[in-house]
Amino acid sequence: MNLAPAAPGIAQHYTMLQTGLDLLDQGITVFDGDLRLVAWNQPFLRLLDLPDEMAWVGASFASFIRYNAERGEYGPGDKEAQIAERVTAAAGFAARVTERQRPNGRVLLLRSEPLPDAGFVTLYSDITEQRYIENLSEHQNIQLEERVRRRTAQLENANANLIRANTENTRIAAALRRSEERLRLINDTIPILIGYVDKDEVYQYANKGYSDWYGHPEGGVTGRAVREVTGEQVYSQVREPVRKALAGQQVTYEYKMDRPGQSVFARSTLVPEISAEGEKLGFFVFSHEITEQKRMEAALVQAQKMEAIGQLTGGLAHDFNNLLTVVIGNLAALQDHRPNDAEINEFVTPALQSARRGVQLIKRLLTFSRQQPLEPQAVDIGRLTAGLAKLVRRSLPESIVVSTDLATGSVHALVDPGQLESALLNFALNARDAMPAGGRLHIAARAIELSSDAAAFDVAPGPYALIEVADNGCGMDAATLARVYEPFFTTKRFGLGSGLGLSMAYGFVKQSGGGIAIQSQTGQGTTVLMVLPLVAAEPDIDPPAADALLAHGGELVLLVEDEPNVRRVVRQQLIDLGHPVIEAENGAQALEMIEQIPDIAIVVSDVIMPGGINGRQLAEQTLAGHPAMRIVLMSGYTDEDEEDTGNNLPILAKPFARQDLARALQRANKDKP
């Protein structure tokens, strides 16, 4: 019995329902919430080959699963695991659709749906014939497709011979077209100007770069004469090379072309084309721009000139300092010997002042020629700027008006005064070049406090000295302004600027802890703003008293100097300081005297001397044999460094006053026991 017994009337209905269920082609089962069988039909038992006695009301779902597992329905594996897996899945009461092939080959489709009050109903459908028809249809479709494919292949093979020639021609044409496109792309993108000129001096080909170089649209050169394309200025320079190329000679040359606001340069090579019969057909043109190379060469020449000037200035400084030593020494001696002679002092005082200005002039020349060592110090910005303004007024044409606005109070910055003067002079000369027809140059200096605006100078907030150099010249556009600090970048014509001025000024200011900001617009002029950290002014130090300087007076001094006039002046200064003096003209003579005269206590020697032994070598050899000897060196070169001697010896820079000599002797005395 498939359903539980009931009252006679109800039982009849159940019997009719069960009979109807058994007539279905599909199997059906109903399990309650405890996974116990509630209802089933005969197709269920038949489809799964289950014995009738297994199906009874209350039979467990697990009993059916175990029966199937034990007879191998679920394939090889752990039977208990197979049972537990399926019982657990059923206890979830979820809707499921599965398809399973039984060992007998029949394919069943199982569809389970949960019931509202727990439990689930499952329909079992035999879809073996359906799957067979589907597979048969698929197989027939495959066969049909294969027949279609074979037929299509036959048609394609029959048509292939007809289109092969056309395909090959198309491929060859496409390959030639791609090759031509690649060649044109290469010709148009490489930084080389390429052209071809026939024997009538008419262009038959020009790449894009060639057209752009002469300002013509792409393709606008072909078919035009050389003179027409290049213009008279360039043609006058290339006429002779063109004639040689048409005569069969390969030739390389350079030419210049003026453009608005600048000049550009190019180097060209003309390669003639000659037929097998020897006929001159024309020539190929290969050119490339060398403007930047020319700029670099000009900058190199300028740097070499500066180096040569520096070397020449250094040599001249040595001789000039010797002359000033004689002049200042004699004038100072005359003033010392006739201190109360007003008539003498009326001439001596201005002469001494002029001679000492000559010393400063030499230092300034050496600074601008890069021969003066850097000496950062607390510089009075107002005083330096005022002095530079006077120099600028004398250097600029009268058409440029120079105005100043300088701080009245003390404004000091720790910088090298020579480098600062060089930077400011560079700004002023740039302003001059920006005002060829005249204008106004304004120089200002004052102390400021930077806060949020410090970022414009790339410095930290704080107190600074601000120097402003402004003009109302032609100004700069944004592209030029973005490159002003680049080394060798210049908008001036060749030979008029190295392109190093602003870059060197920028480097100097940054090394000094400051910053530069440049404001400019085309036609509105340019303003250069420079900030330098403020420092306190250095206190004046009184020179030691004369009595203290003469503490060691009376000791014998050996004076070594090859220049007689300088030797005479220094000898007199030593005598005035209370020292007896003996003299030598060179290092070899001095060494002999040192060995022969044991009373020599101090050696005062020039650094540069003839005879094979200079002042440093003399000092080294003297100290090797007489370590207690006190030595002072003199030099007309301002780049001599005391550390270069290796013995920390005092070096007097010529020219010097008697007080300077006394201090050097005092220092030498302190360095010895």
Side-chain angles (χ1 to χ4, degrees), residues 132-187:
Y132 172 77
I133 293 173
E134 290 175 354
N135 292 335
L136 179 61
S137 298
E138 182 179 359
H139 177 69
Q140 290 175 343
N141 288 336
I142 293 174
Q143 288 182 328
L144 178 59
E145 289 176 357
E146 178 63 19
R147 286 197 298 271
V148 171
R149 187 192 64 78
R150 287 198 300 267
R151 182 56 179 167
T152 301
Q154 293 173 353
L155 294 175
E156 290 176 349
N157 184 57
N159 191 47
N161 293 330
L162 298 177
I163 64 175
R164 184 175 293 110
N166 183 55
T167 302
E168 185 66 15
N169 289 338
T170 303
R171 186 190 65 80
I172 293 174
L176 291 174
R177 189 164 51 254
R178 287 194 301 271
S179 177
E180 181 180 352
E181 291 172 353
R182 284 195 294 265
L183 182 59
R184 178 169 292 278
L185 178 62
I186 293 172
N187 286 342

Side-chain angles (χ1 to χ4, degrees), residues 472-493:
N472 60 349
C474 61
M476 295 178 284
D477 57 24
T480 302
L481 189 61
R483 301 185 61 189
V484 291
Y485 300 128
E486 292 183 14
F488 303 114
F489 174 74
T490 179
T491 57
K492 301 176 184 178
R493 298 198 309 272

Side-chain angles (χ1 to χ4, degrees), residues 376-400:
Q377 55 189 271
V379 175
D380 188 331
I381 298 299
R383 182 180 301 174
L384 182 144
T385 307
L388 182 71
K390 295 179 182 178
L391 175 63
V392 168
R393 284 191 179 95
R394 293 193 295 268
S395 303
L396 299 183
E398 295 180 356
S399 59
I400 297 178

Side-chain angles (χ1 to χ4, degrees), residues 114 130 195 266 325 329 492 514:
Q130 178 183 343
T325 299
K492 301 176 184 178

Side-chain angles (χ1 to χ4, degrees), residues 268-556:
S268 297
T269 297
L270 307 184
V271 180
E273 182 186 21
I274 304 175
S275 68
E277 294 76 20
E279 181 183 0
K280 314 303 188 296
L281 303 177
F283 58 84
F284 293 92
V285 185
F286 303 97
S287 303
H288 64 280
E289 184 177 1
I290 58 171
T291 304
E292 195 62 27
Q293 178 182 336
K294 286 289 187 181
R295 292 188 188 279
M296 296 293 289
E297 291 174 355
L300 177 60
V301 170
Q302 184 73 8
Q304 291 172 339
K305 287 181 181 179
M306 289 296 294
E307 182 180 1
I309 291 174
Q311 294 174 351
L312 178 61
T313 304
L316 290 176
H318 176 264
D319 295 337
F320 197 56
N321 283 332
N322 278 340
L323 294 175
L324 289 175
T325 299
V326 176
V327 173
I328 293 176
N330 284 301
L331 291 173
L334 178 59
Q335 193 176 54
D336 291 342
H337 284 83
R338 306 286 291 275
N340 299 320
D341 192 329
E343 185 176 354
I344 292 294
N345 285 328
E346 183 180 357
F347 295 98
V348 171
T349 299
L352 269 174
Q353 292 175 349
S354 297
R356 286 170 180 147
R357 280 198 296 268
V359 175
Q360 296 303 316
L361 176 61
I362 286 295
K363 288 186 177 180
R364 183 165 296 181
L365 286 174
L366 290 170
T367 296
F368 284 123
S369 64
R370 311 297 191 266
Q371 292 293 312
Q372 181 75 9
L374 296 181
E375 298 178 357
Q377 55 189 271
V379 175
D380 188 331
I381 298 299
R383 182 180 301 174
L384 182 144
T385 307
L388 182 71
K390 295 179 182 178
L391 175 63
V392 168
R393 284 191 179 95
R394 293 193 295 268
S395 303
L396 299 183
E398 295 180 356
S399 59
I400 297 178
V401 177
V402 179
S403 62
T404 59
D405 181 11
L406 307 178
T408 56
S410 175
V411 179
H412 287 75
L414 185 64
V415 293
D416 184 294
Q419 286 286 356
L420 180 56
E421 286 183 341
S422 178
L424 294 178
L425 183 60
N426 179 267
F427 298 157
L429 295 179
N430 284 343
R432 177 202 63 188
D433 295 339
M435 299 183 290
R440 180 173 178 271
L441 174 64
H442 181 68
I443 302 175
R446 64 183 183 276
I448 63 169
E449 183 75 24
L450 294 181
S451 54
S452 59
D453 48 354
F457 297 94
D458 192 24
V459 296
Y464 289 87
L466 172 67
I467 303 176
E468 176 182 347
V469 180
D471 66 72
N472 60 349
C474 61
M476 295 178 284
D477 57 24
T480 302
L481 189 61
R483 301 185 61 189
V484 291
Y485 300 128
E486 292 183 14
F488 303 114
F489 174 74
T490 179
T491 57
K492 301 176 184 178
R493 298 198 309 272
F494 285 102
L496 296 183
S498 65
L500 293 173
L502 280 175
S503 62
M504 294 182 67
Y506 178 82
F508 150 70
V509 172
K510 296 302 289 184
Q511 289 176 358
S512 301
I516 293 181
I518 299 180
Q519 303 167 354
S520 184
Q521 290 184 2
T522 303
Q524 300 297 318
T526 300
T527 299
V528 180
L529 301 173
M530 176 193 300
V531 293
L532 296 165
L534 284 178
V535 296
E538 295 179 354
D540 294 333
I541 301 176
D542 295 331
D547 293 341
L549 296 176
L550 298 176
H552 289 266
E555 293 179 307
L556 180 61

Side-chain angles (χ1 to χ4, degrees), residues 12-32:
Q12 182 179 3
H13 287 89
Y14 281 152
T15 301
M16 293 176 62
L17 176 61
Q18 185 64 53
T19 302
L21 291 176
D22 290 341
L23 292 176
L24 295 176
D25 292 332
Q26 295 174 302
I28 185 172
T29 58
V30 178
F31 287 89
D32 62 15

